[in-house]
């Protein structure tokens, strides 16, 4: 095999609860990931010189060692004593630093592609281990699923057998938001010792609904139940992002974007990840397109997207 072309999709977080800050500074989360059809396209070309090179038409994308594709390739080369190299051509469509997991998805796609291109035969679990080293959102993109529950740093993935397909109108205001800044703005204090239902920085399975989430409306399982029943009206009202107060604290203008989207007839509106992307959930493609068309003069980065 000489080259591979892969789609690298974005995600939305339909639910994101921050449980607490961990002794290592990260935060324990409970999040519902949805893979969406807004995708970058990446071409990986095998080379013999051991070098990693990335080119991208979007000047916001770092093409050197900061890029998660680069980091993924470096990690695999170092660990597997790989002598081969790769030339990567990244066609960027997912906005950068937008809460859509674009960089993380690219990193995961690189792990999957290079495992084949360099003939490494790494098992899925090993790839997930590498994914964790690259970033909290990377493991989700290594699973071949549209829906998953993420716990721990968001990197403990439970793929969900959910057939639901949703339509959204998604706005990404032209602001770069850094997750570290948003999590810090939450102002949570690090727990000295792991608490009851969290050990080794992991939330014990089964404890998600009952122990950690006391408020009924903040239970991800209620949202999941609604999605399973195709009760979109309830599901829309259960969208939740616990990072919202921190996002709005740093960028108060984003509250206005959310309000603008709320004025339209949709099932619910929420931020994705650490922002600035805001999305609504609609009953149909028609409805999402209608919102997109109306708001496209005000926002340049506005998309109609669907579960992928
Ligand atoms: O894991 P990742 O590199 O994507 O995280 C970026 C930053 O976001 C971390 O350095 C940390 O400050 C914050 N973060 C966090 N808790 C998480 C995920 C990210 O505090 N679960």
């Amino acid at each position: 095999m000489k080259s591979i072309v892969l789609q690298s999709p974005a995600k939305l977080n339909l639910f994101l609860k921050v449980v607490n800050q961990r002794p290592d500074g990260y935060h324990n989360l409970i999040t519902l990931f949805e893979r969406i059809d807004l995708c970058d396209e990446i071409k990986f070309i095998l080379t013999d010189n051991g070098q990693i090179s990335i080119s991208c038409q979007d000047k916001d994308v770092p093409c050197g060692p900061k890029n998660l594709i680069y980091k993924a390739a470096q990690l695999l080369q170092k660990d597997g004593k790989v002598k081969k190299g790769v030339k990567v051509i990244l066609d960027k469509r997912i906005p950068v630093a937008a809460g859509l997991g674009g960089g993380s998805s690219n990193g995961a796609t690189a792990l999957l592609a290079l495992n084949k291109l360099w003939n490494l035969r790494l098992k899925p679990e090993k790839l997930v281990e590498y994914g964790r080293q690259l970033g909290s959102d990377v493991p989700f993109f290594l699973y071949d699923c549209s829906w998953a529950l993420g716990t721990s740093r968001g990197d403990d993935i439970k793929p969900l057998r959910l057939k639901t397909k949703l339509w959204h109108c998604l706005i990404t205001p032209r602001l770069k938001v850094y997750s570290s800044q948003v999590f810090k703005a939450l102002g949570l204090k690090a727990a000295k010792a792991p608490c009851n239902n969290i050990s080794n920085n992991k939330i014990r399975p089964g404890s998600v609904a009952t122990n950690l989430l006391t408020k009924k409306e903040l239970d991800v399982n209620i949202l999941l139940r609604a999605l399973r029943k195709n009760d979109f009206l309830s599901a829309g009202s259960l969208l939740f992002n616990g990072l919202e107060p921190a996002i709005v604290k740093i960028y108060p203008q984003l509250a206005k974007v959310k309000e603008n989207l709320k004025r339209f007839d949709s099932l619910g509106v929420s931020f994705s990840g650490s922002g600035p992307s805001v999305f609504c959930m609609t009953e149909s493609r028609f409805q999402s397109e209608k919102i997109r068309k109306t708001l496209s003069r005000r926002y340049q980065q506005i998309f109609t997207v669907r579960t992928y």
Side-chain angles (χ1 to χ4, degrees), residues 21-22 25-29 104 132 134-137 152-154 178-181 183-184:
Q21 196 185 31
R22 308 161 15 145
Y26 278 89
H27 293 74
N28 282 310
L29 310 175
S104 305
R132 282 206 173 99
L134 295 175
S136 308
D137 279 344
S152 199
R153 278 163 53 202
Y178 292 95
S179 315
S180 51
Q181 203 188 353
F183 276 102
K184 202 169 161 204

Side-chain angles (χ1 to χ4, degrees), residues 157-223:
I157 300 298
K158 183 182 168 208
L160 299 169
R161 257 182 273 134
L162 195 62
K163 297 226 161 48
T164 316
K165 298 268 185 199
L166 299 178
W167 286 102
H168 308 278
C169 177
L170 164 68
I171 302 174
T172 306
R174 286 201 184 272
L175 276 174
K176 272 192 218 135
V177 174
Y178 292 95
S179 315
S180 51
Q181 203 188 353
V182 173
F183 276 102
K184 202 169 161 204
L186 275 180
L188 300 184
K189 295 232 167 67
K192 286 202 180 77
C195 67
N196 265 353
N197 33 24
I198 298 177
S199 57
N200 298 329
N201 289 329
K202 286 188 180 168
I203 298 166
R204 280 194 215 136
S207 67
V208 168
T210 45
N211 301 337
L212 295 171
L213 303 170
T214 44
K215 275 194 191 166
K216 208 173 165 231
E217 64 271 24
L218 292 188
D219 185 336
V220 71
N221 289 327
I222 298 180
L223 170 57

